[in-house]
Structure formats: C-alpha cells, structure tokens
Amino acid sequence: MTNTNVAANKPTSTIEDESSSLLRAWWMNKNLRYDVAMSSIILIINIAAIVYMITHKIPLNKADPALLILVVSIIFYVSFGIVSCISWVMAIENVRLASEAYVYGRIGHTSGFGIFLDLLYSISPHLALHFGLPCLLWFVAAMIAPCCPYLWKGLCKRVQELRDWWKLVNRPQSSVVIV
C-alpha cells in the first residue's frame, strides 16, 4: 500500500494580514480614553456641585469677582469641549488631528476644574481650600507636567533618586553578635 496522495490531501492554511480598522485604532488611543474619562469626571463633579447648591439654596454672589472667572471658565469649557469632540471625530480618518484634540481637551478640562473650584468656593471657602490645595498637586501632575516633558523627566529622575535613597536607608543591616 503506497500513500502517494498524502501531500495532496493536507489542508492548506491561508493567513490573512488583517490590520485593525480605523475606528478600532482610534478608540484604542490612550489620549482619547483619558479625554473621555476626564470629561466624564469633570462633568459629574460639576453637576453634583450645582445640584448641591440648588438643594441647599446657596446663591452665587453677583458682586463677587469670582463670578467673572466662573463665566469665562464656562465659556472656555464649552467651546474647547466642542472643539475637542469635533477634532476627535475628525481624527478617526486623520490621525494627525488626535494631538490637537488632546490639547483642546486639556484646556477644556482645566476650565472645567476651574468651574468646580469656583462652585466649591461658593459653597464654602474652607471646603475649596481643603479640597483645592490637594487637588492642585494632582492638577500639576496630570495637567501641566505632560506639557513640559523636560521638567517632568527631571522631576521623575529626582523622585527615583529619592526612592533609591529611601530603599538604601531602610535596607536591613546585618549585625554580628559574638557570644
């Protein structure tokens, strides 16, 4: 019994090179995901602050100069939010627009966070102080530092040096006990 037809009976496999679709590549962009998450968080905390002010009947002081800052922040937040959304939608086909959309989103997030701090100040100056100062550290780390990569790299290097020093200081020391 000879089996000369074994090679002819083997199934052949075809490998297709499928690259991901434009929409999938767009959605996997980390900056888009960050923009969506931050926009959602800022929108939620601003709505929560407004609802708190409405339910507790806390008025905005019309003579307060912070009202002008609030109005300007709202204008920036809405306008840059709309431009960011339009840029992200256009970035589906033109990937170069993603970096511009990211910058517009950052400006919008900064304005939205300014709105939140102004609303907190209207609720209670102490609340704005106790919440605003710790958030300022987050603000510098998350919003401003990535825009200044050289400053950020230097800060990261310094933090790593401090970690290494702390590990050295906390390393258990061997001791010799003579009995």
Side-chain angles (χ1 to χ4, degrees), residues 60-72 118:
L60 284 173
N61 187 0
K62 294 187 181 185
D64 193 12
L67 185 64
L68 178 64
I69 295 171
L70 180 65
V71 170
V72 170
D118 197 34

Side-chain angles (χ1 to χ4, degrees), residues 9-176:
N9 290 336
K10 282 189 176 178
T12 60
S13 63
T14 306
I15 299 174
E16 287 187 33
D17 183 23
E18 289 186 20
S19 59
S20 61
S21 68
L22 289 174
L23 190 60
R24 179 168 173 76
W26 172 75
W27 183 245
M28 295 307 289
N29 186 333
K30 66 178 181 170
N31 293 333
L32 172 66
R33 290 179 167 197
Y34 173 83
D35 198 14
V36 169
M38 283 303 297
S39 295
S40 301
I41 290 169
I42 289 174
L43 193 61
I44 289 169
I45 62 174
N46 282 335
I47 290 172
I50 291 169
V51 167
Y52 182 86
M53 290 177 71
I54 290 170
T55 56
H56 290 83
K57 295 182 172 65
I58 300 172
L60 284 173
N61 187 0
K62 294 187 181 185
D64 193 12
L67 185 64
L68 178 64
I69 295 171
L70 180 65
V71 170
V72 170
S73 294
I74 290 172
I75 291 170
F76 276 5
Y77 180 62
V78 170
S79 60
F80 280 103
I82 290 171
V83 170
S84 175
C85 287
I86 291 170
S87 298
W88 276 118
V89 169
M90 291 171 53
I92 294 172
E93 293 179 359
N94 187 356
V95 179
R96 290 178 290 157
L97 292 175
S99 61
E100 293 174 12
Y102 179 65
V103 171
Y104 294 140
R106 286 262 178 171
I107 294 169
H109 299 153
T110 304
S111 301
F113 192 68
I115 294 168
F116 178 64
L117 288 179
D118 197 34
L119 293 173
L120 276 183
Y121 183 76
S122 295
I123 294 170
S124 166
H126 294 289
L127 182 63
L129 180 68
H130 293 305
F131 187 78
L133 284 179
C135 286
L136 184 62
L137 295 173
W138 165 80
F139 178 77
V140 168
M143 297 291 209
I144 296 174
C147 298
C148 307
Y150 297 111
L151 175 68
W152 187 246
K153 286 179 185 176
L155 181 63
C156 289
K157 183 179 176 184
R158 181 67 183 141
V159 168
Q160 188 59 45
E161 289 172 358
L162 285 172
R163 282 184 189 156
D164 293 342
W165 176 80
W166 189 250
K167 287 178 184 176
L168 175 73
V169 170
N170 283 327
R171 186 178 63 201
Q173 300 292 320
S174 60
S175 60
V176 178

